[in-house]
Amino acid sequence: MRAPITVAALTVCLSSLIPHAALADDTLGGNTQNPPGEQHADTGEDGSVSVTVGGIVFDRSKNGSGKSAGAVTSATAWTPPACWYAPKYTPEQLEKYLKPIWEAGSTGYEWDATQRDRYVNGKPYKDFNKDKSGDGYWWDSYVNEDFPPGWDACDEETFWVDKGAAPPANIQNAVTPEILAELAYAEIRVPGTEVTLAPANRTKVNLPTWAWLDAAEFKPVSVTASVPVLGIEATATAEPVSLKIDPGTADAATYPASGACAIVDGHIGEPYAKGKATRTPPCGVKYLRSSGDGSYPLRATVTWKIHWTGSGGAGGDLPDGTFGATQDVVVQEIQSVNR
């Protein structure tokens, strides 16, 4: 296990004292243009951009886009991994990274001596495993840069894994296709959920208000995560399954009564058109009381079913995700004329 780091030391030299909690890929293979700790992006021939971060390459070219796009939230208590282990260094890179830290002496003689024993003096590794260059990698932990609960749980010392071998069995969250899928889940972005209403700007008490979303925007989105040096990948795909309408007041009725509008033939709700005034909207709301001088905060939330496929035929379902937005709806009394 790693030696504890004091708050004072962390504040003074965070970057040099925590070589194991890097937030970005270190680019294996000796590419000096992208040194350890830097996030970088590569543009493919088709114009798609792959972003390398946390030891993993994320292809977001099939993700949702636009100013109102956002991340889905798990509909259960499940959350993607807050930290994980993946290849980080070649033998030469680990030597280049650790030696200046030891020489600076800022981490203390005892810690430095323990590190030298571990990586240089054969307890258990010798000379950074340079005799195995090209035959494996030093693995280390990465953390979600938002530092959610559990981000500091991956506290194992940097360890060696031969090419083609599995990480030690006691290592939790060592990167696998399933872990990649869970991390890809966290990178999914879906379109905004502001619904189109008819009447558009103001509605009336007891008047059915139609609600729908642009079907062209609500199609499956996906993110692929991979670790090229290991030859593994996984794709997490999100598909919209329903729209939930919350009128923002108890003085309202929804269509359908549950407020959950199913997706039919790729459509969420149905656009209003002339001739439909006497019909009940398949998705919408009817307000029973005026909003007075204010408005009601109607919230529309789309549920996305998420599944994944990965290397070796792996795959399965991940928890449903939701994403919603709130919009103001003005509701007026129907005016009558007394003669």
Side-chain angles (χ1 to χ4, degrees):
M1 300 295 285
R2 296 175 185 166
I5 300 172
T6 67
V7 173
L10 184 64
T11 303
V12 172
C13 48
L14 178 64
S15 61
S16 64
L17 294 184
I18 315 181
H20 310 292
L23 302 183
D25 177 63
D26 72 298
T27 309
L28 294 168
N31 184 343
T32 57
Q33 293 181 345
N34 296 301
E38 279 195 6
Q39 175 174 316
H40 62 277
D42 302 295
T43 303
E45 294 181 358
D46 61 354
S48 62
V49 176
S50 296
V51 178
T52 302
V53 60
I56 296 167
V57 178
F58 292 101
D59 182 349
R60 302 168 178 155
S61 60
K62 297 180 180 179
N63 215 356
S65 59
K67 292 188 298 183
S68 60
V72 293
T73 300
S74 172
T76 70
W78 176 88
T79 58
C83 66
W84 60 93
Y85 295 94
K88 183 176 285 189
Y89 303 106
T90 64
E92 294 75 16
Q93 287 172 334
L94 184 60
E95 178 184 33
K96 185 177 181 180
Y97 188 57
L98 285 180
K99 275 193 171 181
I101 297 174
W102 300 342
E103 292 168 359
S106 59
T107 49
Y109 172 80
E110 184 177 348
W111 187 85
D112 292 347
T114 301
Q115 292 285 292
R116 285 191 176 93
D117 280 347
R118 177 175 175 82
Y119 299 112
V120 180
N121 299 330
K123 300 178 182 179
Y125 306 109
K126 188 172 182 179
D127 195 21
F128 297 98
N129 268 8
K130 285 192 285 187
D131 62 328
K132 289 189 172 185
S133 289
D135 295 326
Y137 299 103
W138 289 104
W139 287 46
D140 207 343
S141 63
Y142 295 86
V143 301
N144 182 320
E145 62 184 6
D146 292 328
F147 299 100
W151 69 268
D152 54 350
C154 298
D155 58 0
E156 297 288 342
E157 293 280 4
T158 305
F159 56 91
W160 178 266
V161 179
D162 289 330
K163 282 187 177 179
N170 65 304
I171 301 296
Q172 298 292 320
N173 282 2
V175 70
T176 61
E178 185 170 5
I179 292 291
L180 288 176
E182 293 173 350
L183 293 171
Y185 182 114
E187 297 296 318
I188 289 175
R189 299 295 179 267
V190 296
T193 57
E194 182 170 330
V195 295
T196 303
L197 300 174
N201 299 319
R202 299 172 185 271
T203 189
K204 305 292 185 182
V205 172
N206 292 322
L207 176 68
T209 300
W210 292 56
W212 68 94
L213 286 163
D214 185 354
E217 293 292 330
F218 282 82
K219 54 189 177 183
V221 298
S222 65
V223 172
T224 298
S226 64
V227 182
V229 297
L230 298 180
I232 60 173
E233 68 174 27
T235 299
T237 301
E239 300 182 67
V241 293
S242 65
L243 168 68
K244 177 77 172 180
I245 297 290
D246 180 348
T249 174
D251 294 315
T254 57
Y255 304 100
S258 65
C261 306
I263 295 179
V264 180
D265 297 329
H267 297 277
I268 304 177
E270 181 182 321
Y272 177 78
K274 288 184 178 180
K276 296 181 178 180
T278 58
R279 290 177 47 188
T280 298
C283 183
V285 60
K286 179 171 68 175
Y287 287 97
L288 308 178
R289 186 188 296 263
S290 166
S291 59
D293 295 331
S295 59
Y296 292 124
L298 180 146
R299 184 166 182 81
T301 302
V302 173
T303 295
W304 297 76
K305 183 176 179 60
I306 302 178
H307 64 274
W308 70 278
T309 57
S311 301
D317 293 327
L318 291 169
D320 289 350
T322 61
F323 184 62
T326 300
Q327 60 200 87
D328 294 330
V329 178
V330 176
V331 181
Q332 298 176 323
E333 295 282 0
I334 297 177
Q335 301 297 317
S336 59
V337 178
N338 295 320
R339 295 181 183 274

